[in-house]
Amino acid sequence: MHIEQVEFNTIITFLGMMCAMVQGAIGGYAAYRRKRVSLIKTNDVLFRAHRAFGGFATTLYLLGLFAGINGLLGGILRNSPPVELDSPSYNFHTWGSFVVFVFFVWKTWLSYFNKKPLYSKKKWLGLALFLAWAYNWITAAISYYVRTVPPNKQHPAPNFLLPYDLMGLQIVLPFVLGAAIALLVIRAAVRVEEKKDAKRAATKT
């Protein structure tokens, strides 16, 4: 079954949002629920999952989440896709992509080259990047879907994503799936902590 490039890009964005949801939920659990950001480093289950899904999200961003910026460049250089400055969905997605890009570069730089501030002064940056991801996914999905139906039909109906009538469910889906995966990871991490606590208690006695 044929897949259009624009639908493929939207699927990549969908998967990136799902991975970001997993990473964000794990970070939120450690930073706000347990109030111990360092738990991401000391709990092996959280550490591996946070790092893996963060890596997936970063890779998927590089593959697909530049779509807003790339779309603008393509519109300026080739008029494909067309620049639609009179379209709210186009403007929200395209110009917002630059803001997302700034948070992405900032958070990625710290994560790989100067991680210490993320556990102290700049731990809010993780939440900010998650919100930027969410904004980008939601605006990307809306921008794609409204162009699969009249009066601004530019793309065929989706083959792999849900149909236009279920756009709302499609938008919510990566959050639900990501939360479900994160819940499984957190439950496994809690069991690890409980085993550690039991060993400490046995050692003391």
Side-chain angles (χ1 to χ4, degrees):
M1 185 179 294
H2 178 68
I3 181 170
E4 294 287 330
Q5 182 66 45
V6 65
E7 184 179 7
F8 176 78
N9 289 342
T10 306
I11 292 172
I12 292 297
T13 310
F14 167 89
L15 294 173
M17 184 66 248
M18 184 182 72
C19 292
M21 181 66 201
V22 178
Q23 185 190 35
I26 292 171
Y29 169 76
Y32 301 104
R33 174 71 176 175
R34 295 293 301 276
K35 300 188 185 303
R36 286 173 53 201
V37 181
S38 61
L39 194 63
I40 296 174
K41 293 191 296 184
T42 59
N43 186 294
D44 191 57
V45 174
L46 293 182
F47 174 76
R48 290 176 181 274
H50 190 266
R51 186 172 185 177
F53 282 97
F56 294 152
T58 299
T59 301
L60 290 165
Y61 182 93
L62 294 173
L63 286 174
L65 289 185
F66 280 118
I69 298 173
N70 286 342
L72 177 64
L73 293 176
I76 293 172
L77 299 175
R78 305 186 306 273
N79 198 34
S80 177
V83 176
E84 301 176 74
L85 297 181
D86 59 341
S87 168
S89 63
Y90 177 90
N91 286 318
F92 274 109
H93 178 54
T94 300
W95 304 116
S97 294
F98 288 91
V99 179
V100 174
F101 176 70
V102 169
F103 279 108
F104 170 79
V105 171
W106 191 3
K107 173 68 163 53
T108 302
W109 174 266
L110 292 176
S111 295
Y112 286 97
F113 301 107
N114 187 21
K115 191 179 286 288
K116 188 175 180 180
L118 290 176
Y119 294 99
S120 54
K121 297 179 181 179
K122 291 185 174 60
K123 66 180 183 180
W124 58 267
L125 191 55
L127 176 60
L129 181 61
F130 172 78
L131 295 175
W133 273 91
Y135 173 89
N136 210 38
W137 156 243
I138 293 169
T139 58
I142 292 173
S143 182
Y144 164 68
Y145 271 107
V146 299
R147 285 165 177 77
T148 63
V149 294
N152 190 20
K153 184 175 175 62
Q154 299 179 20
H155 316 301
N159 287 322
F160 297 93
L161 295 170
L162 296 176
Y164 175 83
D165 292 342
L166 297 176
M167 175 175 63
L169 178 59
Q170 183 68 69
I171 289 174
V172 171
L173 204 54
F175 298 98
V176 174
L177 294 176
I181 295 170
L183 181 60
L184 294 175
V185 171
I186 290 169
R187 289 180 64 182
V190 169
R191 287 196 293 269
V192 169
E193 290 296 309
E194 289 174 346
K195 287 180 180 179
K196 286 182 180 179
D197 292 339
K199 285 183 180 180
R200 292 192 194 100
T203 303
K204 289 180 180 179
T205 57

